[in-house]
């Protein structure tokens, strides 16, 4: 039974298991690197993490492909945060604290999904000049990710990054007294120069309203599909 | 030396190492899923993560088995948070930010321990009606986990989840001016309808008093047992 | 082709891949254990995590070797925090929330680098007596790690821990109204009894000024070196 054919097959099976662990580690690194680039408003580096047809979902709007991603990251966020300057910028902070990943690599090792969460610390020091009028001076933001990844030529890339904003809390007020004033990003581009290509069907409510962010994974113990009911 | 018997043995040893890495990944996913279910008050899904004789330790009280766990999660927490409604619920937040795991899988691959920590963001929006009178409007909570896991039929489950609350901080006051008003959960059930089965011997003090939460692991470099002295 | 020589070589290659995954897991555990020891001011345990010639960089000052590390951790931090007492100490908190690691193990499996981040919750309860006059009552601190590790005799140790403080925020004021008052640690030892051995060439600015913390890793998708420009 321990002939070389059997051993070769067992070795190949074990190599597949190792590849999936390596994939999980690579995706964790990729996502964490995304966060560190976001800290510094390094949006060219952010966009280069996406596959050519990769997309980001932000405020229920889909930005697909690198050109649309540039509209989201460089025009929309970059202008609001730092008027297009790459960071770190004097007196500006956009720290992305990323944590709590649940990663599932597909059986063929070529795609994967991840749930994760973020706590964002956003704002400006009082001594910073030239702040965007709609950017709060200091605000917390919490969000969930339900992302998809693809492995192309041995390299993991973001296929779809869906950031589901959960709540914002102005520092002076907290979440009890803050209403998140970030509705779905309408109208779409080109009617709005920072608009998405289109909206997802099921637009997400934001705080104090809530929407469940569907889980990509089944229950870890029962294996049952998890209800994704919305509130 | 490279005969097939030697190779088969080496392959089996390597497969064991891979199994332990897979176990570590599975336990991380299990724990992170726990947190996402807690976010939404999905307590049936939470309880299903535990082994049949699994237990949770909360406020120094032990709740053992699924019936007792239902008393803790559904009656105690669920009523206080949302009067039994599964979330997400309008204007209510119980975000569990889980991080910093130290996981040790046993040599036989059938049990494991984990230390981890949580930052909880709890409370209600001012527009939410029908709040529980003892639930603060907005409060941070920090806690440590020292958990045990068991692998049954190839599936990892929670054998013992010990949540050691460290401090709470009312948003308006911070940790300097908040005294955590959550003493050990006495009296036990059935004297209290939300009480535990029994208390652990060494009940934990809460902020501003402190108790060390013992480490399950030895010092990573010296291999020495780590003192677990209490303050 | 599936002769035992080929299989042995493939097995050895796979074992190398597994070793690197194990190294990554060991480094994560090591770093997370560092944080839990820091929580409790267990500085002997912290210092024992370092290689004999290991070093820590704090406020742009380098503390090299266990004697210098004792000056940093036990004399500098330990006196400021708890006047030398090991914790947990009544009414004192120094929680280290550690997350978001990007770990790269060298090809030879004997060294590694890690980027990570921390959110620190520091301070004292109002009922605590004998506080250090320069320790704020309640303050957040955010920092980045760019660490190096070494494997000696099969055990991973910290070769260089560089903690790059990013900002502090007094709880009552937030990051908008807090200026981090922690300049580079000059003069060096022995002129200052808590000073470093020497300063790094490129001292880091602190909030509201900013300095980019260079990335040890290349862009995960393009493989290009990442600009580390400073603001």
């Amino acid at each position: 039974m321990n002939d070389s054919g059997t051993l070769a097959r067992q070795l190949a099976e074990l190599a597949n298991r190792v590849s999936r662990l390596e994939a999980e580690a690579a995706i964790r690194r990729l996502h964490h690197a995304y966060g560190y680039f976001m800290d510094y408003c390094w949006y060219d580096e952010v966009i280069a993490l996406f596959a050519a047809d990769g997309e980001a979902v932000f405020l229920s709007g889909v930005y697909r492909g690198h050109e649309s991603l540039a509209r989201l990251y460089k025009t929309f966020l970059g202008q609001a945060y730092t008027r297009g300057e790459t960071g770190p910028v004097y007196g500006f902070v956009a720290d992305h604290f990323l944590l709590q990943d649940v990663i599932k690599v597909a059986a063929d090792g070529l795609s994967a999904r991840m749930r994760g969460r973020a706590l964002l610390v956003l704002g400006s020091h009082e001594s910073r000049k030239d702040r965007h009028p709609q950017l709060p001076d200091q605000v917390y933001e919490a969000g969930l990710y339900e992302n998809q990844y693809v492995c192309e030529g041995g390299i993991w890339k973001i296929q779809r990054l869906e950031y589901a904003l959960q709540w914002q809390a102005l520092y002076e007020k907290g979440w009890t007294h803050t209403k998140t004033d970030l509705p779905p990003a309408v109208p779409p581009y080109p009617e709005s120069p920072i608009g998405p290509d289109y909206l997802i069907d099921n637009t997400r409510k934001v705080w104090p309203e809530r929407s469940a962010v569907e889980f990509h994974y089944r229950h870890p113990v029962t294996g049952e599909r998890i209800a994704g009911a919305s509130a």
Side-chain angles (χ1 to χ4, degrees), chain A:
Chain A
M1 20 255 232
N2 283 332
D3 64 25
S4 64
T6 305
L7 283 173
R9 201 182 58 245
Q10 291 173 336
L11 188 59
E13 285 167 2
L14 190 60
N16 271 342
R17 290 165 58 191
V18 172
S19 293
R20 291 174 60 151
L21 289 166
E22 290 171 334
E24 186 175 327
I27 289 162
R28 182 174 295 124
R29 274 196 297 271
L30 176 62
H31 183 58
H32 289 177
Y34 170 85
Y36 289 122
F37 294 154
M38 291 296 289
D39 288 355
Y40 287 167
C41 307
W42 288 4
Y43 299 122
D44 285 322
E45 283 78 2
V46 166
I47 294 166
L49 296 171
F50 286 78
D53 62 348
E55 61 192 21
V57 186
F58 187 69
L59 300 179
S60 298
V62 181
Y63 298 79
R64 186 157 205 251
H66 284 210
E67 199 176 322
S68 289
L69 291 168
R71 198 164 70 245
L72 167 62
Y73 286 108
K74 300 180 81 165
T75 309
F76 185 172
L77 295 181
Q79 288 298 326
Y81 285 166
T82 62
R83 299 183 186 276
E85 197 181 343
T86 53
V89 165
Y90 177 92
F92 172 73
V93 65
D95 277 4
H96 284 63
F97 292 83
L98 303 187
L99 64 161
Q100 201 174 336
D101 52 48
V102 178
I103 299 172
K104 185 159 177 52
V105 181
D108 65 8
L110 295 177
S111 67
R113 288 170 176 261
M114 187 206 72
R115 192 183 186 87
R117 78 189 317 151
L119 181 69
L120 272 52
V121 168
L122 294 168
S124 303
H125 191 262
E126 60 189 8
S127 63
R128 181 185 174 211
K129 299 187 191 346
D130 201 30
R131 273 122 72 185
H132 192 286
Q134 283 180 285
L135 188 69
D137 271 348
Q138 48 185 346
V139 64
Y140 290 112
E141 181 177 308
L144 295 173
Y145 296 98
E146 270 285 349
N147 292 354
Q148 298 176 24
Y149 299 89
V150 62
C151 188
E152 294 178 340
I155 295 175
W156 284 95
K157 304 176 186 174
I158 305 171
Q159 181 64 54
R160 177 184 171 96
L161 180 146
E162 178 158 9
Y163 176 68
L165 192 159
Q166 296 297 292
W167 48 264
Q168 287 191 320
L170 294 168
Y171 194 88
E172 284 79 3
K173 297 183 165 191
W175 48 91
T176 297
H177 306 293
T178 302
K179 194 174 175 308
T180 304
D181 192 20
L182 287 165
V186 285
Y189 182 83
E191 192 178 337
S192 162
I194 58 169
D197 299 338
Y198 58 92
L199 290 182
I200 56 175
D201 291 337
N202 195 0
T203 57
R204 299 190 181 285
K205 300 167 193 161
V206 292
W207 183 252
E209 294 193 270
R210 307 294 311 269
S211 292
V213 178
E214 300 76 12
F215 296 81
H216 72 266
Y217 52 88
R218 287 168 176 254
H219 191 284
V221 168
T222 66
E224 285 171 15
R225 194 173 289 283
I226 301 164
S230 292

